[in-house]
Amino acid sequence: MVNTANTIVMKMTTMLLLLSVISCKTDAFIHQKQTTKTASLHAMTASSNEEYNEIMDRRQAMATAASAAIATSLIVSNPQGASASGGATAGKYTTIPIAKRRYYGRVQEAVHEFLQLTPAIIAGDMTGQYVQTFFDPLGALIIPAKRKDINGICTKKDGNCKGQEIRDSRWNDMKTTMYLLGNAFRINQTKAPDNLPTVIAAKAFFKEINAMEKTVTSRKPMTNLKTTQGHFAKGLDLLDIYLDLVELPPTQSGHYDKEFSTLVGESSRIT
């Protein structure tokens, strides 16, 4: 009996040892799996973070490149504006030189022809050639005709490549160019043109000479001579105010004794 009991005890002890070994291996296996899984998760997370950071870096680089391209295009398209101080003063350094190149010649030629009216106005001859031509709707060549052929070959169906000139009165062109030139002389871009001193002076001059035009272009240009002469005299004074504001010499300086080119100039200097 004792031997049988010992045998049973030995078997049970062996079974317990086997179970203990199996349990240890099982725990080790489970721990290994969990460790592997955790490492995999960390690796995946690190990989995802690297990919995310790489994507953000690419986006940032693209945004920086796009900003640089836009800035470069703006500078190339408007170098004068880029070199100016910007804001309200930018217009002062870009529009005035451009306006001078465009309109100085036409304004100076208009003043030249306007001053040629003086002898006839003083003499009371409102039918004189200078007076009538100055207000004639076809009296001045504003834009000469340009040929429309290509390398000397006319490709028009009607065979007419001479182009068409644009004519108007010197007075109408004078009003247009004086207004446009005066509108450029501003210290900011928000002020209305009618509030600019240059435009106010120009419109005051227009008012006097428009009244004069109505008389000299009527059927009886010789009527109301004193009134017409008065409008001309007031107009001369107002014209000098305007010329000073747009940085041109006064009417009595002798500067306008010559003719001026009405083409767009290459510089903004007085010619």
Side-chain angles (χ1 to χ4, degrees):
M1 294 290 292
V2 174
N3 291 333
T4 302
N6 289 335
T7 302
I8 293 172
V9 170
M10 291 179 64
K11 289 182 178 181
M12 291 180 64
T13 302
T14 303
M15 290 179 64
L16 289 172
L17 290 173
L18 289 174
L19 289 173
S20 177
V21 171
I22 293 170
S23 176
C24 290
K25 290 185 177 181
T26 301
D27 290 341
F29 179 77
I30 292 174
H31 178 72
Q32 183 180 2
K33 288 292 185 181
Q34 288 178 344
T35 302
T36 303
K37 184 176 181 180
T38 301
S40 298
L41 288 174
H42 283 303
M44 292 176 64
T45 302
S47 177
S48 298
N49 288 336
E50 290 179 358
E51 291 179 357
Y52 174 79
N53 292 332
E54 185 178 355
I55 291 171
M56 294 304 295
D57 290 341
R58 285 201 300 267
R59 289 183 178 179
Q60 183 65 30
M62 292 175 65
T64 302
S67 300
I70 293 172
T72 302
S73 65
L74 289 175
I75 293 173
V76 171
S77 63
N78 189 11
Q80 287 181 317
S83 61
S85 60
T89 61
K92 183 177 180 181
Y93 296 104
T94 56
T95 62
I96 291 178
I98 292 173
K100 285 181 178 181
R101 287 195 294 270
R102 289 178 178 174
Y103 308 121
Y104 252 13
R106 289 163 67 182
V107 169
Q108 291 177 102
E109 175 60 22
V111 174
H112 165 72
E113 294 186 23
F114 180 74
L115 294 178
Q116 286 182 327
L117 309 182
T118 304
I121 298 298
I122 294 175
D125 183 12
M126 304 305 165
T127 60
Q129 178 183 358
Y130 285 132
V131 176
Q132 293 300 317
T133 302
F134 186 77
F135 295 105
D136 184 357
L138 299 176
L141 177 62
I142 308 302
I143 300 177
K146 294 183 179 180
R147 291 194 59 84
K148 300 179 180 180
D149 52 57
I150 301 176
N151 297 328
I153 301 175
C154 183
T155 59
K156 298 292 183 181
K157 292 183 179 180
D158 57 1
N160 182 12
C161 288
K162 293 181 179 180
Q164 186 176 1
E165 63 185 17
I166 298 177
R167 305 188 70 87
D168 200 349
S169 69
R170 181 58 65 191
W171 170 233
N172 285 338
D173 189 62
M174 186 180 193
K175 288 189 288 185
T176 300
T177 51
M178 283 180 62
Y179 177 86
L180 293 173
L181 178 62
N183 187 40
F185 281 78
R186 53 173 62 245
I187 59 175
N188 60 62
Q189 299 298 324
T190 60
K191 197 168 187 177
D194 290 343
N195 295 330
L196 297 173
T198 49
V199 175
I200 293 174
K203 287 192 171 183
F205 170 71
F206 299 161
K207 182 179 179 181
E208 294 296 332
I209 307 306
N210 279 335
M212 173 184 166
E213 179 189 20
K214 290 181 180 179
T215 302
V216 300
T217 57
S218 65
R219 293 182 179 180
K220 298 179 179 181
M222 300 299 291
T223 59
N224 300 322
L225 289 179
K226 291 185 178 180
T227 302
T228 303
Q229 291 170 337
H231 288 310
F232 183 78
K234 291 180 181 178
L236 278 175
D237 293 336
L238 294 169
L239 181 58
D240 276 329
I241 295 174
Y242 171 84
L243 293 174
D244 180 63
L245 291 172
V246 296
E247 303 172 359
L248 282 172
T251 56
Q252 297 180 352
S253 63
H255 175 73
Y256 304 99
D257 293 343
K258 61 181 180 180
E259 294 183 354
F260 294 85
S261 172
T262 58
L263 300 178
V264 176
E266 296 181 356
S267 69
S268 58
R269 293 178 294 178
I270 300 174
T271 57

